Amino acid sequence: MKIMFLGDVMGRAGRRAISENLPRLRSAWKLDFIVVNGENATSGMGLSGAHAKTILEAGADCVTLGDHAFDQRDMLQFIEAEPRVIRPLNFSKTSPGKGARLFTAKNGRKVLVAQVLGQVFMKRPFDDPFSALEPVLKTHPLGGQAAAAVIDVHCEATSEKMAMGHFCDGRASLVVGTHTHVPTADAMVLPGGTGYLTDAGMCGDYNSVIGMDKAEPMRRFITGMPKERFTPAAGEATLSGVYVETDDRTGKASRIVAIRDGGALQAAAP
Ligand SMILES: [Fe+2]
Ligand SMILES: [Fe+2]
């Protein structure tokens, strides 16, 4: 299978880039399955039902969330009615929606998608992501019912993401980090056959501070004083993420390439 994962969609600039370019990339790269992280698509804070629809209508097969999962209150209801939206497995014991689901790709093959939140440097304590993911991997062995498995690891720390990559090695097709909004250059196939990338980067305007208009974050760093609210940067977004090819029989990754399209970052394609 040919699978693409795109990192955190950041505000209107990110949504526009998704709407305008996802259909083209889907056909140009003959993609079988697309996962998009949507946790910042609505004003940089969470995802509204309307904006989830925008991303799904552009061609995403699955939308993942993150620590901002329920910043937009209507997601509390929306996620119960829209199974293509996944929240972190370990967000909270009482959160609505699901943290893992078996999807059917357009070619009929089954794809497991799961998301976990990290614990290191996160704003509030979440349950252990490793023990949260273990039963999901156990019940969906690669090459069995699931032809491929994609794990979105939503963490601040690179170390925690790398550890999760090795934890899933041989048991997932792709382990990809999100949350930091800056793409890393370490796309690789791990020894057990899992495609891995520490961070997918964001789908947003990179002439910014991690997707926010740079004036206010710079003011806070330089003077230590807040003045205004953060607003997403409005320039042309780069779609940033990763492309992976998997073996239909084993579910393991045969090839992985970081991808970037449009905006300020250097282009990269499969
Ligand atoms: Fe994010
Ligand atoms: Fe996040």
Side-chain angles (χ1 to χ4, degrees):
M1 290 184 77
K2 295 181 166 77
I3 299 170
M4 180 169 76
F5 183 101
L6 293 176
D8 311 33
V9 175
M10 190 66 196
R12 180 170 302 178
R15 297 196 311 269
R16 187 190 304 131
I18 290 280
S19 293
E20 290 177 358
N21 298 296
L22 209 55
R24 171 178 58 85
L25 297 183
R26 177 157 208 136
S27 67
W29 298 344
K30 299 183 170 57
L31 301 169
D32 298 308
F33 197 77
I34 300 174
V35 184
V36 176
N37 183 301
E39 76 144 358
N40 307 109
T42 302
S43 313
M45 301 289 172
L47 177 65
S48 67
H51 292 158
K53 282 184 186 157
T54 302
I55 297 170
L56 291 164
E57 279 164 13
D61 297 289
C62 169
V63 177
T64 57
L65 294 168
D67 52 319
H68 291 290
F70 301 108
D71 286 6
Q72 301 294 322
R73 297 283 124 190
D74 76 324
M75 184 51 68
L76 291 165
Q77 286 82 42
F78 186 87
I79 197 168
E80 300 272 35
E82 179 47 86
R84 291 177 292 174
V85 179
I86 294 288
R87 47 85 173 160
L89 275 168
N90 56 336
F91 188 89
S92 142
K93 292 209 166 33
T94 59
S95 54
K98 283 189 171 164
R101 183 176 167 241
L102 201 58
F103 291 78
T104 305
K106 293 194 173 60
N107 63 8
R109 303 211 191 285
K110 303 279 186 200
V111 182
L112 172 72
V113 183
Q115 184 181 46
V116 285
L117 279 161
Q119 294 182 300
V120 181
F121 304 139
M122 299 300 280
K123 280 200 187 102
R124 72 177 177 88
F126 297 105
D127 290 343
D128 166 25
F130 295 88
S131 59
L133 190 56
E134 180 64 33
V136 174
L137 294 175
K138 272 224 172 79
T139 52
H140 300 87
L142 260 195
Q145 200 187 10
V150 175
I151 314 296
D152 175 348
V153 188
H154 198 80
C155 304
E156 194 76 48
T158 49
S159 55
E160 193 172 17
K161 292 192 246 200
M162 291 190 92
M164 185 59 78
H166 293 298
F167 180 75
C168 297
D169 190 16
R171 303 195 286 167
S173 313
L174 174 67
V175 174
V176 57
T178 51
H179 180 71
T180 73
H181 295 198
V182 178
T184 58
D186 59 339
M188 63 179 147
V189 178
L190 298 175
T194 294
Y196 175 78
L197 177 67
T198 295
D199 205 290
M202 66 171 167
C203 297
D205 175 8
Y206 280 78
N207 179 18
S208 66
V209 173
I210 62 167
M212 291 296 182
D213 182 275
K214 58 198 172 192
E216 181 61 18
M218 287 183 70
R219 179 185 296 116
R220 293 191 196 187
F221 278 120
I222 294 163
T223 69
M225 292 299 292
K227 188 175 165 201
E228 289 160 10
R229 287 164 58 173
F230 289 132
T231 50
E236 187 189 336
T238 303
L239 294 182
S240 182
V242 68
Y243 165 92
V244 66
E245 284 177 21
T246 63
D247 181 308
D248 279 351
R249 195 175 45 81
T250 64
K252 293 185 180 181
S254 48
R255 188 164 164 260
I256 183 166
V257 185
I259 54 113
R260 296 177 298 275
D261 187 82
L265 298 195
Q266 191 176 44

